[in-house]
Amino acid sequence: MTIRSLVYSALLILSPLVLANPTAITNVKGYHIIPDGGLQQFDTLVFEQGKVLANGNAELLKRYPNATVVDGQGQTLLPGLTDAHGHLLGLGENLLQVDLRGLPSEKAAVAKVKSYQASNPSLNWIVGRGWNQVLWPGKAFPTASQLDEFIPDKPVWLERVDGHAAWVNSKALQLAGIGKDTLDPPGGQIIRDAKGNPTGVLIDNAMWLVAEHLPKSDEAMMQASLKAATQHLLSLGITSMHDAGVDQKTYDFYQQQAKNGQLQVRIYGMLSAADPKLKEMLEAGPFQDTTDMLWVRSVKAFADGALGSRGAAMLEAYSDDTHNHGLLLTSEEDLPALFELVLGKGFQLNVHAIGDRGNRLVLDNFAQAYDKVGGQSFRNRIEHAQVVSLEDIPRFKDLNIIASMQPVHATSDMNMAEDRIGKERLKGAYAWQTFLKQGTVLAAGSDFPVELANAFHGLHAAVTRQDHEGQPPGGWIPAERLSVEQALRAFTLDAAYAAHQEKVLGNLESGKWADFILIDRNIFEVPNTEIWQTQVLQTWIAGQQQFQRAE
């Protein structure tokens, strides 16, 4: 070793004490999860140049006499939260569109659309999201006629809360050429009246008949959506998210934003399997920027639809629609080639599967693809894994499949899930604790903007399986509840593991990015029923404060 390299090595060893000016946040109630040690507490966190130096008690300050000391005033400090399944630009667009979430009736939804249109008269299309007929009297799908009464001459596109159905007016149907004689596309359904006429609701792949006519998103719109979504997530303490379905246009946009240093929330991008340029993107190989703000090394594919719209593929017919087995959004014949393509290129494969047939098909195809091209070590995932046959649950462990699940889906679906599939099939539904007990890794998210992007709502749902009013008493299928520690792990360390990022994110161990949040209550001490009310006070990414709640 040369004199120069010896001096350089010595400087590296001494740099925390001599060359750097670290920051220390002390007087906090800090918590994070250690891989083999479980929940660990600390009251002081020290970091420099964006990375954690150490955590422990206030004695740490003696090791860093030059540190800038910040008094945490006894607040609770957690690692930055990761949402393991969301749609970033979709969230931004949703924040800029008409929001129909939680409205109690079709009439209320139409009134909000009418008001939005009156406030935005220059728009060529009225676009929104969030309606849910399950919350309405009668629980019937809406129709175009109610929209036509107020907006007859401008096309209207309103996605269901789960993104698996669209409610449109007659102008939109006309623009897309959808009439009585239009055939249902594979993996889709045009809802019709008794005479065979389209009613104004399109399920899954039928949505594309109108969606292809929507205004194309330009860079200005993408910038506005990114800004709106980023600010929203930072205010909720979400420092990293897994973007489930990135097309080539968004892929290029994200890379440019990363190269320009414009990303403020970490993105783990899943390439859309439906994009015509998928092979081209796979050939480019994985992408990882030097600050870990953008990683692209996975693909998002679809097996089936959603439970609420009866599009989830079921082994047996729906209990409340006895001739309907749901939909496959990717044909059974096309699945093997897709699996072999993605895994053969060395990319992680994350497949949306909600129904028990959808999940079984995905498991079968992983097993077959492993035999042909390998890839079992890629930490492949099933996104949602909502209704799984009891005999298929152990296969997640056998095939090394991560269960990427969204706790709020259970509390959103509990008012209709038994109607859809009956009590017996619920034994393998939303089965978080069952997966954990067999050693399956559980990564938690929200699926925003399908659900609200508030991870504390997800933590609350995970540990109570109740809504915000405390219903049902004791929780829905309470045996599947998680502990607070298990739930926090799913939103931090195991979410990072599901993205191959556990060496740089997920907790506040030395050497990892200093991504953390300060919150207004201690989620390990307050009643579990109050966790959803948690407010984020500060959000820090790479040792820089990115959000401060106003007094």
Side-chain angles (χ1 to χ4, degrees), residues 288-293 513:
Q288 177 182 344
D289 81 315
T290 56
T291 59
D292 295 319
M293 294 305 295
W513 290 108

Side-chain angles (χ1 to χ4, degrees), residues 2 24 57 62 65 77 101 120 122 138 164 201 242 292 297 316 318 346 417 453 464 481-482 527 533 549:
T2 66
N57 59 37
K62 295 178 182 179
L77 186 151
R101 189 186 309 273
N120 298 273
S122 63
H164 286 267
V201 170
H242 302 175
D292 295 319
R297 57 165 301 168
E316 302 295 335
Y318 279 86
T464 67
R481 289 179 302 198
L482 302 181
Q533 300 173 30
R549 183 164 298 281

Side-chain angles (χ1 to χ4, degrees), residues 256-538:
Q256 191 60 50
Q257 297 303 299
K259 290 173 183 176
N260 293 340
Q262 297 298 307
L263 295 178
Q264 292 179 285
V265 168
R266 301 187 190 278
I267 301 170
Y268 182 75
M270 309 180 199
L271 301 175
S272 171
D275 193 284
K277 299 288 183 69
L278 175 63
K279 289 184 180 180
E280 181 179 315
M281 292 187 286
L282 291 174
E283 289 291 344
F287 177 90
Q288 177 182 344
D289 81 315
T290 56
T291 59
D292 295 319
M293 294 305 295
L294 176 65
W295 285 35
V296 181
R297 57 165 301 168
S298 63
V299 172
K300 161 73 180 308
F302 278 92
D304 60 355
L307 197 64
S309 51
R310 300 184 185 87
M314 304 302 299
L315 294 168
E316 302 295 335
Y318 279 86
S319 300
D320 58 357
D321 189 358
T322 55
H323 298 289
N324 183 6
H325 285 72
L327 300 167
L328 290 179
L329 302 191
T330 305
S331 73
E332 190 169 354
E333 294 76 20
D334 291 340
L335 285 171
L338 174 62
F339 277 62
E340 291 170 28
L341 169 66
V342 174
L343 298 178
K345 294 296 183 181
F347 276 64
Q348 177 193 55
L349 181 56
N350 307 328
V351 189
H352 165 120
I354 289 182
D356 52 11
R357 183 185 177 216
N359 277 277
R360 180 169 293 178
L361 280 172
V362 173
L363 292 166
D364 288 346
N365 277 276
F366 272 125
Q368 293 164 15
Y370 290 166
D371 287 341
K372 291 186 177 180
V373 298
Q376 189 161 355
S377 65
F378 294 170
R379 303 182 190 178
N380 303 300
R381 298 159 44 166
I382 291 185
E383 304 298 314
H384 311 307
Q386 280 183 210
V387 182
V388 184
S389 171
L390 291 176
E391 63 189 89
D392 286 330
I393 289 179
R395 300 178 69 198
F396 279 71
K397 178 65 174 175
D398 296 340
L399 295 169
N400 197 31
I401 303 298
I402 292 170
S404 174
M405 304 177 80
Q406 299 72 45
V408 284
H409 280 344
T411 50
S412 293
D413 292 354
M414 64 186 181
N415 60 349
M416 61 83 179
E418 188 170 342
D419 291 341
R420 291 286 187 274
I421 62 174
K423 184 170 289 187
E424 186 63 26
R425 284 184 283 188
L426 284 178
K427 292 178 180 178
Y430 315 89
W432 315 321
Q433 195 62 251
T434 298
F435 278 114
L436 284 183
K437 285 179 179 177
Q438 71 176 15
T440 294
V441 173
L442 180 62
S446 68
D447 200 8
F448 64 73
V450 173
E451 303 280 359
L452 295 176
N454 191 324
F456 291 98
H457 290 187
L459 287 161
H460 169 267
V463 302
T464 67
R465 293 180 75 102
Q466 294 176 320
D467 63 22
H468 295 172
E469 285 70 50
Q471 297 299 318
W476 183 60
I477 316 179
E480 296 294 346
R481 289 179 302 198
L482 302 181
S483 69
V484 178
E485 179 180 334
Q486 288 173 325
L488 180 63
R489 180 170 183 142
F491 275 102
T492 54
L493 186 62
D494 283 354
Y497 177 88
H500 296 265
Q501 294 178 324
E502 75 280 4
K503 292 184 179 179
V504 294
L505 298 175
N507 62 20
L508 296 167
E509 291 179 293
S510 176
K512 295 189 179 182
W513 290 108
D515 295 359
F516 60 90
I517 61 176
L518 294 168
I519 57 178
D520 71 343
R521 68 199 68 200
N522 188 331
I523 61 172
F524 290 95
E525 294 180 356
V526 300
N528 290 343
T529 53
E530 295 180 12
I531 290 175
W532 70 271
Q533 300 173 30
T534 301
Q535 296 288 306
V536 174
L537 304 175
Q538 295 180 18

